Amino acid sequence: MPEQPAIPFKVEPATVFRFKPRDIKEDAGTLRDGTALTGKMIESPMMFHYVDAIDFRHTAMKAEEKGIDPEVAIENSWLLKENPELREAWEWHKGEIAKLEKKLIDGYGVDKKTGKPNRVPTETERYRIGWQAFAAKAEGVETGTAKIALKEQFFGPDYVGRSEKHTFPAHVSIPREQVQFASKFAPAWNTYYAIYFTMTGLHGLHVIGGALVLAYYLFCGKKMYLSNPEWLANRVEVGGLFWHFVDLVWIFLFPILYLM
């Protein structure tokens, strides 16, 4: 079959072409019938459906580093400017935080010297809107008092059932230039991983230290063995005890961090 000539074309406005996976060959840009697609793919935004949580802690942290009021930075963020539904959720959330601050003052009082509350909302409470908060907003009740089914408490929100109640924002579009990597598994954002990296890091340092000591006696202990073998034996025994101690710690550390 003779090769078909290329046919250039331009689509305005940009249109989404959808092809089934079986119609596309492994080499990108070629369809199963031999049609080659060339050109520049536009950077399309990321679409999220039924957003069940919004976390502004990273925005707040960056604002504090620049000496800006975190709430001002959040309210001027593109996310709230471009999404009226999320701005409404944020305004509702601020009201809930004000109620929480009042409860904490009533319960724990104010420091007499500084005049500041003895307890204030945590950063997570202040800057994160979780799915339970969205559920409370949809039901018109205070945060923490929404009707949460037992199944949801263990397995997370029922998206199908809650979509009918309009619990979560239906669609959120994030421009490509606003997409950044901020891992929720970093120690700064997750207590579990802060403990995890600290404990495993310390354990790893002890393992390296013990291995270096035992390696030293293995490769450099000949002179000590010839001059005073009992002296070397005592040191090897102490090094062995330390090594077994590190091993024993791992026996407890592994199930706590990985299995529980």
Side-chain angles (χ1 to χ4, degrees):
M1 182 177 179
E3 183 178 353
Q4 298 295 323
I7 304 176
F9 64 92
K10 186 177 182 180
V11 180
E12 290 185 355
T15 304
V16 178
F17 292 91
R18 292 184 173 86
F19 300 98
K20 296 179 181 179
R22 64 173 180 269
D23 292 332
I24 303 177
K25 292 184 178 180
E26 291 185 1
D27 50 331
T30 304
L31 301 183
R32 191 170 58 176
D33 63 358
T35 303
L37 302 177
T38 60
K40 182 180 179 181
M41 301 294 289
I42 62 173
E43 294 187 348
S44 59
M46 294 182 66
M47 294 293 297
F48 291 88
H49 304 284
Y50 302 119
V51 176
D52 60 2
I54 304 174
D55 198 330
F56 287 109
R57 285 180 294 176
H58 186 267
T59 304
M61 181 186 71
K62 292 298 182 181
E64 289 175 350
E65 290 177 356
K66 298 177 181 178
I68 304 173
D69 184 353
E71 289 195 6
V72 173
I74 292 170
E75 291 173 0
N76 289 326
S77 65
W78 65 268
L79 185 62
L80 297 189
K81 286 183 176 180
E82 300 296 330
N83 296 275
E85 196 172 1
L86 296 183
R87 175 170 285 278
E88 180 186 344
W90 170 252
E91 294 297 335
W92 174 85
H93 178 70
K94 285 202 304 182
E96 294 297 298
I97 292 300
K99 295 177 185 177
L100 177 59
E101 288 176 336
K102 185 177 183 305
K103 287 182 180 179
L104 292 176
I105 291 175
D106 293 341
Y108 296 92
V110 178
D111 188 280
K112 295 181 180 179
K113 293 182 179 179
T114 62
K116 296 181 179 179
N118 289 322
R119 278 201 61 182
V120 296
T122 64
E123 287 192 354
T124 301
E125 292 170 334
R126 189 179 295 277
Y127 299 123
R128 186 178 188 278
I129 309 176
W131 73 269
Q132 295 92 339
F134 277 115
K137 178 180 179 298
E139 295 177 13
V141 297
E142 291 187 4
T143 301
T145 59
K147 295 179 181 178
I148 306 297
L150 183 62
K151 181 181 178 181
E152 289 183 308
Q153 293 178 6
F154 285 95
F155 301 104
D158 176 14
Y159 291 99
V160 176
R162 292 197 173 277
S163 64
E164 299 174 356
K165 302 176 183 178
H166 303 287
T167 300
F168 307 125
H171 305 285
V172 176
S173 175
I174 302 181
R176 179 69 61 171
E177 63 271 13
Q178 296 292 346
V179 177
Q180 298 180 5
F181 174 77
S183 174
K184 68 178 181 180
F185 303 118
W189 307 108
N190 191 297
T191 303
Y192 169 78
Y193 281 100
I195 297 172
Y196 171 85
F197 286 117
T198 301
M199 299 300 290
T200 54
L202 286 174
H203 181 74
L205 290 175
H206 283 80
V207 170
I208 293 172
L212 290 175
V213 170
L214 294 177
Y216 172 79
Y217 290 135
L218 176 63
F219 296 106
C220 304
K222 184 177 180 180
K223 184 177 180 181
M224 189 183 300
Y225 174 76
L226 295 175
S227 61
N228 193 337
E230 186 177 353
W231 198 12
L232 175 63
N234 289 336
R235 278 155 177 71
V236 171
E237 183 178 0
V238 172
L241 288 174
F242 176 79
W243 185 260
H244 288 303
F245 162 74
V246 173
D247 193 24
L248 183 64
V249 169
W250 183 248
I251 291 175
F252 290 96
L253 203 60
F254 178 79
I256 291 174
L257 295 179
Y258 290 90
L259 303 181
M260 294 182 68

